[in-house]
Amino acid sequence: MDELHELKKAFQEELGTVAGLEDLQKLKAKFSGRKGKVSAHLKKISALPPEKRSQFGSTLNEIKKFIEKEVIQLEASLKAEVQQKRLQTEFLDISLPGRRQLFGREHPINQVLTEAKDIFISMGFDVEDGPEVETDYYNFEALNIPKDHPARDMQDTFYVSEDIVLRTHTSPVQIRVMEKRTPPLRIIAPGKVYRCDADISHTAMFHQIEGLMVDTAIAFSDLKGVLELFIHRLFGKDTPVRFRPSYFPFTEPSAEVDIGCIFCGGSGCRVCKTTGWLEILGAGMVNPKVFEMVGYKIDQYTGFAFGLGIERIAMLKYSIDDIRLFYENDCRFLSQF
Amino acid sequence: MLVSFDWLKDLVDITAGPEEVADMLTLIGLEVEGSEQLEGDIVFDVNVTPNRPDCLSILGVAREVAAAFRRPLTIPETDMNSTLPASDIRIEILDSDLCNRYTGRSITGVTVGDTPEWIRKRLEKCGIRALNNNIVDITNYVLLELGHPLHAFDADKLEGSIIKVAKAGGSRSIVTLDEIERNLSDATLLIWDAKNPVAIAGIMGGANSGVTSGTRNIFLESAHFEPISVRKSAKALSLRTDSSFRFERGTDIIFLENALNRAAMLIQQVAGGVIHRLVDSYPVKPEYTKIDVSIRRVNEYLGTDMEKGEMIDILERLGIEAEDRGDVLNVKPPAFRKDIMVFVDVVEEIARCYHYTNIPVTAPKTTLSEGVISIKEARIRTMKQAIRATGFTEVLNYSFMSPADLDLLGLPEQDIRRQYVTLKNPLRQEESLLRTSLIPSLMHNVVYNLSRGSNRIGLFELSRIFEHRGEQLPREVLTLGGIYLEGRSSFLWKDTVPPFFVVKGALESLFEEMKCEMYEFTPSTEVFLHSGKAADIYFRKERAGFIGELNPHTIEKMNIKIQQPEIIVFELNVDLLLTVIPETIAYKPIPKYPSIERDIALVLSDNLNAVEILRHLEGFHPDLIERVELFDEYRGKNLPENKKSLAFRIVYRAPDRTLTESEIEPLHNELVTFITGKTGGALRGQ
Ligand SMILES: [Zn+2]
């Protein structure tokens, strides 16, 4: 029995010298491992006289449990100590910046274009497309702007040849679509257009969205309804909208649409030239001459068309006073949107 | 058109204030774009649209004001005493299709001198320079007041008491009043005396017959010239005058006589002299349009509910006759409203005077439509989203390029990008061609931003390029272009990925996001790219673009201040990309059984292409090798010269059972033998 006493004593002594988890692991192996001292003593049982076996066995078992308990306890406190130490020594300067995922920006013109497109798409318009280099026929003639008509002065045109131009508006897409589809039609055609004109409010290239709705009973009041809804979605539902007469050869009656000046609230300022109104788009009922050009029966269909300049809307939305900023592509400008 | 409010009040009895009048004009279609206080008067800047030449005068605007406010119009007195001396000038119109009417009056014994201040002031307020030649200034005064251009000849300088109206008929020249010699084409309509041309019809008089301080007798012309002919001549001569501007838009063939009389009376009042009887050649009389307008259709067209009486009232206020025929109005526009020809023109007149603001707001009664984003639109949005997610910011450049841009890229003569579209009238030489590549614009964007202190630059553009293929219209190809320059990192946490692979990775992520799997990168020979760091991009064996570092020689031409910058560019045919994206996604089951992974590191000849080795490995036993990943590339220490080490992870997996180590062991050994044999390489560390 003394040897068991010695065993316990030896364990207790060595336990006192344990400095860390590693020492403890060694101690654990030395005493309670498969080849440890407890196992060694266990093997001796069979060599003992039968009457002593039970006593020896139960004492050894108690020591075994004692060792296990001590090891677990010490292990727990050592682990706690280690964790405590980590918490005390490890730290970050959490004020340092994180590693950001650089997300590129969308050009503000395309942001506005997408917003406008989505509004029309939600109103049931399809998105159509047409060439940027156009024939004189689609850009002018089919839109009731014959050669040598004063209305040609309304747009400064880039010519590729006598009969080929850079489209001056997205309106030719109207013609191309009507040539291949029959009503009902509800389309928009976004894209780049070109005019040979450049100053603080004009660039040689800019963006438009053309719209066209044709059916058997479309009225001017519907044009008002659709455009008012669009403007209210884009600028807020309290924005005043004003329709006034204008002239486009391909619409009759034609209208210019103004919104209440968003800078002065209508009281008059530099931006709205003291009128309280800002011109935002041109529109009108499709001129029957245009229907004749595409072979639609003029007594069967009516419709309206409109065109809006995206740069103008973006300038209003973001209070930008020089249109050329959009095409300088300065990263300090682009990163703001 | 500048309109003096004082002058306007001469012609219409206005009770409203100038501001109210301006607002009203805008509401009925004569937009007042601005107004200016001038010497106690207010001058409106009225935007007169090309369809309304009748409003290019104080009288025209007054007529609209009178209609809108229901106020009486006062047209200046133009009735002439019938007992006037006869004129000795005879008129002969040879081209009556270009001149429907020519009238005139001789005024003898005038004194050319200073113009009275009230006339001068009004001219200047309305934007016409007074010449201090009372005769000429009065013709301009009447042009502004009544809208009809007039011309005064020095009658003593006209040969042979005859005015002929005929085309130039052969090339000849005339010195116009501004002392410039003008070369005329055959078709130019001229005014002639017995021998020589004395004026370009409707555009400008000749210097040889002009009124000067010594002039005693004048012949005053008031005529109607065909608009297109005047416009063509004015355009050909690059000579736009207040007179041609009005003639090319259309003038009033009847009222021209009133304008003539008004001017004659003013001249007599100011310069004295004797007015002679009217000479009038009137070969072509105007035809009047009559339009049947259904009351119901007007209301259907506008979405209104107007009474017939209201429509008649509006038309009559505008000087348009409207005969009530029950459900229909028979409408007859006056001579000065040539723009009213068909039903919708009448609708417009009714609508604008009813005021657009009074027309109801309705929702269209039309077939429902889906309101969905098209597949193409959706894919382009995904693409832009993906390229932005990898750090590229979108730019928009003009579609133009300069001939120098092609040289910047150093493109050879036969390169397709030299098949460009040229503009006939560019704003600047640098913008005279349409882009055949997005790269030059992007290079300019980098130069621009570097010079403004930007550092790390990643830009993309999605725009069309224009390939001139000899057809009528160029081929417009939707193209994605990008440029990347790492610069000094301003980030705390540094990445050390070579820039080429940053950009290649961006494209690979983009392809993955778009579910495009059919792509391939192969070495490129683009001349503006670094020959060792450039790849062509293929979709299903079709070349769709390129990616690569700009050739040092190309970069040198950019003139940027950074030492040996690595600038990566790419360009991709998006139209082609969109054709290789699967229509639908088919789900592949998630593997049920675990995989076994084995790594091998091979020491290989430096010039071997990693993708080829990857393909060999993947193809070795496709049933059991799920995928192979290249996870390390190494050159340098511990390796012989011209060798590199590539490390691959082979993932073995069977779809129908759990693989065992003992099954994989011989297979993997076979693979090692196969790949070392195939590549002439060796396992690293052996
Ligand atoms: Zn304002």
Side-chain angles (χ1 to χ4, degrees), chain A residues 2 11-12 27 39 80 93 105 108 121 130 136 144 153 157 159 181 228 249 258 265 272 278 286 299 317:
Chain A
D2 280 353
F11 172 74
Q12 282 172 317
L27 181 71
S39 297
D93 176 357
R105 307 302 172 107
I121 288 168
D136 185 273
N144 191 34
D153 292 349
T157 311
Y159 283 91
R181 291 172 57 179
E228 228 180 78
D258 302 329
C272 61
L278 295 167
V286 178
D299 50 359
K317 266 187 97 94

Coordinates of all heavy atoms in Angstrom, one line a residue, chain A residues 2 11-12 27 39 80 93 105 108 121 130 136 144 153 157 159 181 228 249 258 265 272 278 286 299 317:
Chain A
D2 N 2.0 1.1 0.6 CA 2.9 2.3 0.6 C 3.3 2.8 -0.8 O 3.4 4.0 -1.0 CB 4.2 1.9 1.4 CG 4.0 2.0 2.9 OD1 2.9 2.4 3.3 OD2 4.9 1.6 3.6
F11 N 2.9 12.2 -7.5 CA 2.0 13.0 -8.4 C 1.8 14.4 -7.8 O 2.0 15.4 -8.6 CB 0.6 12.3 -8.5 CG -0.3 13.2 -9.3 CD1 -0.2 13.4 -10.7 CD2 -1.4 13.9 -8.6 CE1 -1.1 14.2 -11.3 CE2 -2.2 14.7 -9.2 CZ -2.1 14.9 -10.6
Q12 N 1.5 14.4 -6.5 CA 1.3 15.8 -5.9 C 2.5 16.6 -6.0 O 2.5 17.8 -6.3 CB 0.9 15.6 -4.5 CG -0.6 15.2 -4.4 CD -1.0 14.9 -3.0 OE1 -0.3 14.2 -2.2 NE2 -2.2 15.3 -2.6
L27 N 2.8 15.4 -17.6 CA 2.4 14.8 -16.3 C 1.3 13.8 -16.5 O 1.3 12.7 -15.9 CB 2.1 15.9 -15.3 CG 1.7 15.5 -13.9 CD1 2.9 15.0 -13.2 CD2 1.0 16.7 -13.2
S39 N -1.4 2.8 -14.8 CA -1.6 1.5 -15.6 C -0.6 0.5 -15.1 O -1.0 -0.7 -15.0 CB -1.4 1.8 -17.1 OG -2.4 2.7 -17.6
A80 N -7.3 29.1 -18.6 CA -7.8 30.4 -18.3 C -6.7 31.5 -18.2 O -6.8 32.6 -18.7 CB -8.6 30.4 -17.0
D93 N -5.2 48.3 -33.3 CA -5.6 49.7 -33.3 C -6.9 49.7 -34.2 O -6.8 49.7 -35.4 CB -4.5 50.5 -33.9 CG -5.0 52.0 -34.1 OD1 -6.2 52.3 -33.8 OD2 -4.2 52.8 -34.5
R105 N -17.7 53.2 -59.7 CA -19.0 53.9 -59.8 C -19.5 53.8 -61.2 O -18.8 53.7 -62.2 CB -18.7 55.4 -59.5 CG -18.1 55.6 -58.1 CD -18.8 55.0 -57.0 NE -18.1 55.1 -55.8 CZ -18.4 55.9 -54.8 NH1 -19.4 56.7 -54.9 NH2 -17.6 55.9 -53.7
P108 N -22.6 59.2 -63.8 CA -23.9 59.8 -63.4 C -24.9 59.8 -64.6 O -26.1 59.7 -64.3 CB -23.5 61.2 -63.0 CG -22.1 61.4 -63.5 CD -21.5 60.1 -63.5
I121 N -40.1 51.5 -68.0 CA -40.3 50.0 -68.1 C -41.4 49.6 -67.1 O -42.3 48.8 -67.5 CB -39.0 49.3 -67.7 CG1 -38.0 49.4 -68.9 CG2 -39.2 47.8 -67.5 CD1 -36.5 49.0 -68.6
G130 N -31.4 51.8 -81.9 CA -31.2 52.1 -83.3 C -29.8 52.6 -83.5 O -29.1 52.9 -82.5
D136 N -30.1 60.2 -93.7 CA -30.9 61.5 -93.7 C -32.4 61.2 -93.6 O -33.2 61.8 -93.0 CB -30.6 62.3 -94.9 CG -31.2 63.7 -95.0 OD1 -32.4 63.8 -95.4 OD2 -30.6 64.6 -94.5
N144 N -40.8 64.1 -91.2 CA -41.4 65.3 -91.7 C -40.5 66.6 -91.6 O -41.0 67.7 -91.4 CB -42.8 65.6 -91.0 CG -43.6 66.7 -91.7 OD1 -43.6 66.8 -92.9 ND2 -44.3 67.5 -90.9
D153 N -32.8 74.1 -89.3 CA -32.0 75.0 -88.6 C -32.0 74.7 -87.1 O -31.2 75.1 -86.3 CB -32.4 76.4 -88.8 CG -32.2 76.9 -90.2 OD1 -31.5 76.2 -90.9 OD2 -32.7 78.0 -90.5
T157 N -26.2 69.7 -87.4 CA -26.0 68.3 -87.8 C -24.6 68.0 -88.2 O -24.0 68.8 -88.9 CB -27.0 67.9 -88.9 OG1 -28.3 68.4 -88.6 CG2 -27.0 66.4 -89.2
Y159 N -22.4 65.8 -90.5 CA -22.6 65.0 -91.7 C -21.4 64.0 -91.9 O -20.2 64.4 -91.7 CB -22.7 65.9 -92.9 CG -24.1 66.5 -93.0 CD1 -24.4 67.7 -92.4 CD2 -25.2 65.9 -93.6 CE1 -25.6 68.3 -92.4 CE2 -26.4 66.4 -93.6 CZ -26.7 67.6 -93.0 OH -27.9 68.1 -93.0
R181 N -43.0 47.0 -86.6 CA -44.0 46.5 -85.7 C -45.3 47.3 -86.0 O -45.4 48.4 -86.4 CB -43.6 46.7 -84.3 CG -42.4 45.9 -83.8 CD -41.9 46.2 -82.5 NE -42.9 46.2 -81.4 CZ -42.6 46.5 -80.1 NH1 -41.4 46.8 -79.8 NH2 -43.6 46.4 -79.2
E228 N -46.6 63.3 -66.8 CA -46.7 63.8 -65.4 C -46.3 62.7 -64.4 O -45.5 63.0 -63.5 CB -48.1 64.3 -65.2 CG -48.1 65.7 -64.5 CD -49.5 66.2 -64.3 OE1 -50.1 65.7 -63.3 OE2 -50.0 67.0 -65.1
P249 N -41.5 69.2 -86.1 CA -42.2 68.8 -87.3 C -42.9 67.4 -87.3 O -43.8 67.2 -88.0 CB -41.0 68.8 -88.4 CG -40.0 69.6 -87.8 CD -40.1 69.4 -86.3
D258 N -42.4 71.8 -68.9 CA -41.5 72.4 -67.9 C -41.8 71.8 -66.5 O -42.9 71.4 -66.2 CB -41.8 73.9 -67.8 CG -41.7 74.7 -69.1 OD1 -40.8 74.2 -69.9 OD2 -42.4 75.6 -69.3
G265 N -37.9 77.0 -56.2 CA -39.3 76.7 -55.8 C -40.3 77.5 -56.6 O -41.4 77.6 -56.2
C272 N -33.4 79.4 -63.6 CA -34.6 79.3 -64.4 C -34.8 80.6 -65.2 O -35.9 80.9 -65.7 CB -35.8 79.0 -63.5 SG -36.1 80.2 -62.2
L278 N -38.4 75.2 -65.5 CA -37.3 74.7 -66.2 C -37.8 73.7 -67.3 O -38.6 72.8 -67.0 CB -36.4 73.9 -65.2 CG -35.7 74.7 -64.1 CD1 -35.2 73.7 -63.0 CD2 -34.6 75.5 -64.6
V286 N -48.2 62.3 -82.4 CA -47.5 61.9 -83.6 C -48.2 62.6 -84.8 O -49.4 62.4 -85.0 CB -47.4 60.4 -83.7 CG1 -46.7 60.0 -85.0 CG2 -46.7 59.8 -82.5
D299 N -56.4 57.2 -90.1 CA -57.7 57.3 -89.4 C -57.9 56.2 -88.4 O -58.9 56.2 -87.7 CB -58.8 57.3 -90.5 CG -58.7 56.2 -91.4 OD1 -57.7 55.4 -91.3 OD2 -59.5 56.0 -92.3
K317 N -30.6 67.3 -61.2 CA -30.7 66.4 -60.1 C -29.5 66.7 -59.2 O -29.6 66.6 -58.0 CB -30.6 65.0 -60.5 CG -32.0 64.3 -60.7 CD -31.8 62.8 -61.0 CE -32.0 62.0 -59.7 NZ -33.3 61.5 -59.5

